[in-house]
Amino acid sequence: MEPDCLIIIGKEEDIKKSQRITAKINGREIVVFYHEGKFHALDSRCYHEGGPLCLGEIEDIDGQACIVCPWHKFKITLETGEGLYEGINPLEPSPTPKWQSKGVKQRIHKVTIDSGNVYVSPPDLSVSFDSDYFAEKYKNGGELAMGEQNHSEATE
């Protein structure tokens, strides 16, 4: 497949109504969110431990829309895939927690809207992100594949 080929995800109106949808791109599961008038696509498994982001809540953190992983509450910006954390500077006399970036951890996917359809571009795998590990672990079977792989690793 050519890197610039678009993959259809669904109808724009359907995704707007449901607010989110999961889909597979070459076996890789992604989640597409519709939030505050914009579409965002990310790997569906959290970069931290593979939690299902499709089940997470969207929160506003310092003016950025973030998906909160339902497993460990990791916060990921929808726009860039950055992991956010609240930290303090212990050198400050009265340290106040502030939101800070861990850098881009979650792979995001380019979304294109055309003729009422939502498309996603295939990922550029020449650049790696932390979420790639779990995208690969859960590829082509979701939870079932992960369970089988863990079982076979344990018996070897």
Side-chain angles (χ1 to χ4, degrees), residues 5 27 45 79 142:
C5 289
R45 294 290 174 166
E79 195 74 36

Side-chain angles (χ1 to χ4, degrees), residues 77-94:
T77 64
L78 293 178
E79 195 74 36
T80 64
E82 280 181 276
L84 299 182
Y85 70 99
E86 207 169 20
I88 61 166
N89 180 350
L91 302 177
E92 289 179 6
S94 299

Side-chain angles (χ1 to χ4, degrees), residues 7-23 30-43 58 65-67 77-81 107-121:
I7 298 161
I8 189 164
I9 302 301
K11 294 281 182 200
E12 181 180 6
E13 284 309 309
D14 294 343
I15 299 170
K16 282 181 176 179
K17 283 180 194 161
S18 67
Q19 302 284 296
R20 62 185 71 192
I21 188 173
T22 56
I30 65 160
V31 59
V32 177
F33 294 102
Y34 180 72
H35 181 72
E36 295 183 349
K38 291 184 77 176
F39 288 93
H40 306 275
L42 302 91
D43 280 352
I58 296 175
C66 296
I67 185 69
T77 64
L78 293 178
E79 195 74 36
T80 64
R107 182 179 294 277
I108 60 169
H109 304 269
K110 184 177 184 280
V111 178
T112 302
I113 311 299
D114 187 40
S115 303
N117 292 317
V118 176
Y119 299 88
V120 173
S121 300

